Amino acid sequence: MKRTHDYWMDKAIAEARKAEAIAEVPIGCVIVQDNKIIARAHNLRETKQDPAAHAELLAIRKAARRLGNWRLLESTLYVTLEPCLMCMGAIILARIPTVVFGSFDPKSGAAGSLYDLSNDPRLNHSCQLISNIRQQECSGLLTAFFSELRRKKRSRQGQG
């Protein structure tokens, strides 16, 4: 049975909720091939103190290890937020043909917001983009997370 983009994005949202549960920015990613998840990950930048521990990079590394191949030619990457420059670079290098994301990132997006690396003719690979899948839920997770961070910060400042 072929699954829908909504179905797979639900799995990425579940990963984002795992990040949220450990005080990480709630971004989740799954990579699908042959109608199966071959890798899943969520942001771990704070946990690992690693600026490159984005959900997409972690999932791409897991998928490559699982397949024993850095070329992820038959896969689709689902992520709750538009990939940044670093992640789009990794997606292009991994030859992922399709990227599906939940909400745009106007501050650092590289799949249509600030930049669009998906079809740059100067690069040796391109990918199809599908956006706004479960957009309200994906952006809502981020909005709620950052609102709570600001609330906690104000509360701490008021106690000082």
Side-chain angles (χ1 to χ4, degrees):
M1 172 177 168
K2 184 113 169 85
R3 309 284 186 179
T4 66
H5 292 315
D6 280 343
Y7 175 86
W8 297 118
M9 187 59 73
D10 188 57
K11 304 303 181 193
I13 290 169
E15 285 297 313
R17 291 189 187 285
K18 289 179 186 177
E20 181 181 45
I22 57 171
E24 291 278 357
V25 175
I27 299 171
C29 179
V30 297
I31 300 177
V32 176
Q33 187 170 311
D34 297 326
N35 214 30
K36 292 184 211 111
I37 294 176
I38 59 170
R40 62 179 76 222
H42 52 273
N43 269 13
L44 290 173
R45 290 190 317 170
E46 297 297 330
T47 302
K48 293 181 176 254
Q49 289 299 295
D50 179 354
H54 288 206
E56 301 96 318
L57 287 183
L58 297 171
I60 288 168
R61 288 177 181 144
K62 287 178 183 180
R65 277 193 306 271
R66 180 169 180 186
L67 297 177
N69 193 341
W70 61 268
R71 292 176 190 88
L72 305 178
L73 295 167
E74 305 293 323
S75 63
T76 300
L77 183 142
Y78 291 84
V79 64
T80 55
L81 183 67
E82 176 185 6
C84 69
L85 278 166
M86 175 179 67
C87 293
M88 277 303 293
I91 287 163
I92 288 165
L93 291 172
R95 312 290 197 270
I96 296 172
T98 307
V99 174
V100 180
F101 62 92
S103 58
F104 281 94
D105 182 357
K107 293 184 178 178
S108 63
S113 288
L114 283 181
Y115 306 97
D116 186 359
L117 295 183
S118 67
N119 286 300
D120 189 319
R122 298 168 294 177
L123 300 174
N124 67 339
H125 178 68
S126 63
C127 61
Q128 175 190 14
L129 298 176
I130 300 169
S131 60
N132 292 322
I133 303 297
R134 308 273 299 271
Q135 185 273 333
Q136 287 185 327
E137 192 171 356
C138 292
S139 64
L141 276 168
L142 291 162
T143 300
F145 177 82
F146 286 113
S147 290
E148 181 64 12
L149 269 186
R150 287 189 294 276
R151 188 193 67 73
K152 286 178 180 176
K153 184 177 181 182
R154 282 192 304 271
S155 176
R156 283 192 305 272
Q157 289 172 345
Q159 294 173 354

